[in-house]
Amino acid sequence: MPRLEIADDGFRLDDRPFRIISGGLHYFRVHPEQWVDRLRKARLLGLNTVETYVPWNLHAPRPGEFRLDGGLDLPRFLDLAAAEGLHVLLRPGPYICAEWEGGGLPSWLLAQDGIALRSGDPRFLAAVDGYLAALLTPLKPHLASAGGPIIAVQLENEYGAYADDTGYLADLAALLRTHLGEDVPLFTCDQPSDLARGGLDGVLRTVNFGSRAEAGLAELRRHQPTGPLMCSEFWIGWFDRWGAAHTARDAADAAAELEKLLAAGASVNIYMLHGGTNFGLTNGANDKGTYRPTVTSYDYDALLDEAGDPTPKYTAFREVIARHAPVPDEPVPAPSPKLTPTVVELDSAAPLFACDGLFGTPVRADRPRTMEELGQSFGFVLYETELTTEGPTVLRVGEVRDRAQVFVDGQPVGVLERENHEHALAFHAPRSGARLAVLVENQGRVNYGPGIHDRKGLLGTVTVNGDEPAAWTSSPLPLDTLDGLGPLAPAPGPVVGPALHRGTFDLARPADGHLALDGWTKGLAWVNGFPLGRYWSRGPQTTLYVPAPALRPGRNEITVLELHATTTPTVELRDRADLGPTED
């Protein structure tokens, strides 16, 4: 594929004027066997480009380790994009925001005391250098200068909303040039009010917005008098958080704003073409004074819904694009086949604390260890100590990151939530020598603002009746695999407290579906070991997307970790999603 050039009057490709019409499609939020389908639908929309972030924390789960396999096989994704005739905008961060855990920054960075993320801290830059070397070296054959689809690479991500250290941006640009070469253009993106702070001389500035297109483009032109006009994130929907309403945007309103963008001659990246799913434990969170974790679905009210089906917004955008660029003379793709609604009984169960194979090696110390000190990124930590008094007892914690369930001799006595700014819990200790256990859930590291330095677990001083316990045991529960979970016994009756539940069902043919957990409280779900993500009765979403490739003909297995209790032993596979009510 030809190189992209940045000229005073716009983009040029193969020495001809070129307008980027792109859509966001994050490979890591889509089952890899569905990449072809989503890319085909990008082409049929009339796009000539797709954009993707790169999550450093998934590709490098531990220092010195780098993965490009399975759902992280970025070279394969790039090959598939090229096969559809699509260019690619690559956004490797190192920080990506994206409502993703920690903004994509690996948690192991936070094991270093005092490290300053997104800065010129030598420890951070050294880690970034290693990351970019591991990522970009195998991607060089996929650069446009080598005949591949990558036409431009983003430098950082909305940096002006975070800081204004141009020295850091210059250092990062130099690292990108070292590992990319000089042939692929770099660009930055910022919201209109942050364009001055987030840009770097010699690097193309682009702007992010969801409305008031004329004003946003005018502000970009004020900071960049010549060169292409581009909106790198045209927000056509939004993400959801637990406990709030589902966010939706009228298709006609969004399409009218796209018309203004394209009529102005600007290039655009539609955010999102297809949002996908925060599978497993990968959702992020926001904290602007109050911690707010993001839900599992990243539907984003995008052009393709969470199951990849075209929405009315897809059709409306296709009509707008057709007035400004060629659109394939093919019909809008039909929805994918869906599962027949099926009730599944989860008739086997086991208490979580009895499932030793899921826990990592306990660490004994004079204080609770953070997740980062335990070398753990996702999941839970079980903290245990011995009570030395009986009767009225108060547990006080410096910081709960993020949700703590407290047990005495295995019995639940309360919950502490970061979201509610809770630090103390009163309970009755039945005896001296009773076992105090605190199960702490990482509900998602903050992905935006200074809160990205978000260490997890029990932080600060922890006291019982004013005294610090002399010894603690910290046991990791990462839940990155269920391989350590053996067979579960038939459940004799209701199981209360954290417990694993399992049941099976049969299918003649796999298809997309949605798992409903009505009557369940809070936890995680898997299908055939594939992590669907978190559920929570507070909503808004009440179903979890089940991708067809996670299923198989014949016998299938559902596993649920319920942290509290359920009113029913059954779950239901449905043919449609329920992401919750929208605001009036």
Side-chain angles (χ1 to χ4, degrees):
M1 290 186 175
R3 282 183 52 195
L4 182 73
E5 297 178 7
I6 297 172
D8 286 347
D9 59 350
F11 292 117
R12 300 184 71 82
L13 196 68
D14 200 19
D15 203 30
R16 289 180 291 188
F18 180 71
R19 190 211 302 252
I20 295 172
I21 304 179
S22 174
L25 174 60
H26 302 159
Y27 61 96
F28 48 93
R29 282 180 159 135
V30 180
H31 194 288
E33 293 183 33
Q34 296 174 320
W35 289 347
V36 170
D37 173 79
R38 308 310 193 249
L39 289 164
R40 173 177 169 268
K41 289 168 180 172
R43 177 182 62 80
L44 292 178
L45 179 66
L47 303 184
N48 55 32
T49 306
V50 291
E51 162 269 314
T52 187
Y53 281 125
V54 180
W56 180 7
N57 58 352
L58 285 198
H59 285 281
R62 283 166 288 278
E65 181 178 333
F66 200 81
R67 294 185 52 202
L68 285 171
D69 61 328
L72 297 174
D73 191 348
L74 180 53
R76 175 175 173 263
F77 178 82
L78 296 171
D79 285 338
L80 294 173
E84 288 288 346
L86 295 165
H87 306 289
V88 174
L89 299 174
L90 190 71
R91 306 172 77 187
Y95 162 80
I96 64 172
C97 184
E99 292 72 60
W100 188 256
E101 226 268 353
L105 296 172
S107 65
W108 46 261
L109 291 170
L110 296 173
Q112 305 174 75
D113 288 340
I115 190 171
L117 306 176
R118 303 182 73 189
S119 81
D121 186 320
R123 296 171 296 177
F124 180 66
L125 288 178
V128 171
D129 187 22
Y131 158 58
L132 293 177
L135 172 69
L136 297 177
T137 300
L139 296 191
K140 281 189 175 180
H142 301 273
L143 302 179
S145 56
I150 300 173
I151 56 173
V153 174
Q154 185 172 292
L155 169 66
E156 244 279 348
N157 187 61
E158 289 194 333
Y159 186 68
Y162 184 78
D164 58 359
D165 184 356
T166 54
Y168 160 64
L169 290 180
D171 287 343
L172 184 56
L175 289 176
L176 282 168
R177 287 291 177 218
T178 295
H179 299 295
L180 278 172
E182 299 289 336
D183 293 335
V184 177
L186 303 180
F187 66 98
T188 59
C189 74
D190 286 283
Q191 298 175 41
S193 60
D194 299 323
L195 282 163
R197 287 161 47 92
L200 181 68
D201 289 345
V203 175
L204 178 71
R205 284 174 166 87
T206 69
V207 65
N208 297 348
F209 53 74
S211 59
R212 302 181 65 241
E214 298 99 329
L217 294 175
E219 186 66 9
L220 176 60
R221 185 54 82 210
R222 188 171 77 83
H223 289 276
Q224 189 167 259
T226 63
L229 285 173
M230 180 164 180
C231 177
S232 279
E233 288 187 14
F234 173 47
W235 307 315
I236 65 167
W238 207 244
F239 59 92
D240 293 340
R241 66 172 176 86
W242 292 113
H246 172 53
T247 304
R249 182 178 182 182
D250 178 71
D253 173 69
E257 206 66 39
L258 177 65
E259 173 63 38
K260 295 175 186 176
L261 252 172
L262 296 181
S267 289
V268 65
N269 176 56
I270 299 162
Y271 197 97
M272 299 286 296
L273 163 68
H274 175 52
T277 308
N278 297 316
F279 290 121
L281 298 159
T282 57
N283 64 278
N286 283 278
D287 192 341
K288 299 178 181 178
T290 297
Y291 176 78
R292 304 291 195 193
T294 302
V295 303
T296 298
S297 172
Y298 201 64
D299 176 89
Y300 208 86
D301 198 32
L303 304 187
L304 301 175
D305 67 17
E306 195 173 6
D309 292 335
T311 66
K313 201 177 286 184
Y314 181 98
T315 302
F317 273 44
R318 196 173 191 239
E319 292 171 356
V320 171
I321 292 170
R323 293 197 286 269
H324 299 273
V327 170
D329 186 19
E330 300 177 48
V332 172
S336 65
K338 300 297 186 295
L339 293 175
T340 301
T342 303
V343 173
V344 181
E345 182 177 5
L346 306 189
D347 52 7
S348 299
L352 172 64
F353 299 148
C355 299
D356 295 341
L358 294 178
F359 288 86
T361 303
V363 174
R364 292 171 176 80
D366 60 354
R367 61 172 176 81
R369 296 301 190 189
T370 67
M371 272 195 176
E372 294 73 22
E373 290 173 322
L374 295 170
Q376 179 183 351
S377 295
F378 304 101
F380 300 73
V381 178
L382 178 63
Y383 298 103
E384 296 175 284
T385 191
E386 186 176 290
L387 297 176
T388 57
T389 60
E390 64 178 79
T393 304
V394 177
L395 170 68
R396 293 188 183 275
V397 179
E399 293 286 342
V400 175
R401 300 285 182 90
D402 298 307
R403 188 173 189 270
Q405 294 175 247
V406 184
F407 306 84
V408 175
D409 282 344
Q411 297 302 306
V413 297
V415 175
L416 293 173
E417 291 190 311
R418 175 183 182 181
E419 189 168 2
N420 294 328
H421 306 279
E422 294 170 336
H423 299 271
L425 179 69
F427 58 89
H428 182 86
R431 60 185 178 87
S432 178
R435 194 70 174 167
L436 174 68
V438 185
L439 181 66
V440 178
E441 178 185 2
N442 166 9
Q443 292 185 285
R445 286 184 178 82
V446 172
N447 56 257
Y448 188 84
I452 57 174
H453 299 78
D454 192 12
R455 294 169 176 88
K456 296 300 188 182
L458 296 180
L459 277 61
T461 301
V462 181
T463 64
V464 177
N465 286 344
D467 297 323
E468 295 184 52
W472 286 90
T473 299
S474 304
S475 301
L477 179 63
L479 294 178
D480 49 359
T481 176
L482 294 181
D483 289 350
L485 181 62
L488 304 186
V495 180
V496 179
L500 277 301
H501 303 257
R502 179 174 283 167
T504 60
F505 63 99
D506 294 318
L507 283 178
R509 181 178 302 170
D512 284 337
H514 303 272
L515 180 66
L517 294 115
D518 299 349
W520 298 71
T521 306
K522 187 182 194 302
L524 308 169
W526 295 259
V527 169
N528 297 328
F530 182 86
L532 301 180
R534 307 179 208 253
Y535 66 90
W536 200 351
S537 58
R538 69 187 296 196
Q541 77 173 104
T542 62
T543 59
L544 295 174
Y545 173 56
V546 181
L551 301 170
R552 56 194 176 223
R555 182 62 50 93
N556 290 263
E557 183 178 81
I558 294 176
T559 304
V560 172
L561 168 60
E562 169 56 55
L563 295 170
H564 295 280
T566 175
T567 62
T568 173
T570 63
V571 297
E572 185 178 5
L573 290 164
R574 296 179 181 168
D575 57 0
R576 63 188 64 190
D578 184 351
L579 300 181
T582 58
E583 292 181 350
D584 295 334

